Amino acid sequence: MLWQTIAVPLFAFLLGSIPFGLLIAKSQGINIRDHGSGNIGATNVLRVVGKKYGISCFFLDFLKGLVPTIIAMNLLRFTGHEAWCHLSFLEGLSIELPQLTAQSLQVTTGLCAILGHNYSPWIGFKGGKGIATSAGVIVVLAPFGLPVLGAVWFILFKLTRYVSVASIGGAVALPLIVVFGSWYHGKLANGTWNKPLVVFAIFVAVMAIWKHRSNIKNIINGTENKFTKKNNGTKES
């Protein structure tokens, strides 16, 4: 019985659901949901609480995606490429779940971490926008795409000074990067595509657009906050 097929994604969701941004701001006597955009993500923490707190929030949210995905990858190295699970509800009765490939379990684990962050049960199934947590998953599942994603994010941010535009642009670029990378690596591996990874990339892109829908509306209306520099740090304008 390979209990990992249920336990690891569940662990990923629970870890992802920890609202680090809320906890960091609360440690400074601030309810982050009452300030700025009201979001618990690193960007709002940086704006409201300060740079070092925003960086700490980003790092912790990043780890929420990184850690469970690494666990899923390494567990299956010891349990084989195919995984399944038997659930015994009554003595003598068992139900066998469909087989999951190693790729599918890793992707499922990453998705659960992102969903936990975006829809945390501890704060009424609300949460952040999943960019930092998604980045943690991508480091494990698609490290070949990370430099390109970083470049896309940096260029868009420098051109617009909108974190939301840079985040959306990077997320939208992810499926294209993964499709090309999956095709290229699959070509080298006798045509073996990493289809679950492509599904993951599309999910991240759609989720990012959905979670940034208010930012998109603000950009259209000209009311979205930009990041500008001043002598003692970063501020909104």
Side-chain angles (χ1 to χ4, degrees), residues 103 179-196 198:
Q103 292 174 345
V179 166
F180 175 79
S182 182
W183 169 81
Y184 180 74
H185 289 287
K187 185 178 179 181
L188 295 179
N190 300 319
T192 303
W193 273 67
N194 190 337
K195 294 179 182 178
V198 176

Side-chain angles (χ1 to χ4, degrees), residues 22 27 37 62 163 180 191 201 206 216 222:
L22 182 68
S27 71
S37 65
F62 176 86
V163 173
F180 175 79
V206 172
I216 295 172

Side-chain angles (χ1 to χ4, degrees), residues 17-35 38-42 44-45 49 53 56-58 60-61 64 117 120-124 126-128:
S17 70
I18 300 174
F20 284 120
L22 182 68
L23 297 175
I24 289 172
K26 189 168 288 188
S27 71
Q28 301 304 305
I30 299 172
N31 185 345
I32 194 66
R33 290 180 290 178
D34 294 335
H35 297 273
N39 191 272
I40 66 167
N44 198 41
V45 173
V49 190
Y53 299 103
S56 298
C57 181
F58 179 90
L60 289 170
D61 286 346
K64 292 195 299 189
H117 175 79
S120 172
W122 314 119
I123 51 176
K126 297 180 181 179

Side-chain angles (χ1 to χ4, degrees), residues 95-185:
I95 297 176
E96 183 174 305
L97 299 179
Q99 287 188 332
L100 298 173
T101 65
Q103 292 174 345
S104 296
L105 183 56
Q106 292 159 19
V107 166
T108 300
T109 299
L111 291 179
C112 285
I114 296 168
L115 288 172
H117 175 79
N118 289 354
Y119 301 102
S120 172
W122 314 119
I123 51 176
F125 291 96
K126 297 180 181 179
K129 297 176 180 176
I131 299 301
T133 305
S134 297
V137 178
I138 292 167
V139 166
V140 181
L141 298 183
F144 58 84
L146 202 62
V148 181
L149 285 175
V152 170
W153 192 97
F154 181 78
I155 291 170
L156 288 175
F157 178 72
K158 280 294 185 180
L159 290 176
T160 67
R161 307 303 297 184
Y162 289 129
V163 173
S164 55
V165 170
S167 298
I168 294 169
V172 171
L174 180 62
L176 300 176
I177 296 169
V178 166
V179 166
F180 175 79
S182 182
W183 169 81
Y184 180 74
H185 289 287

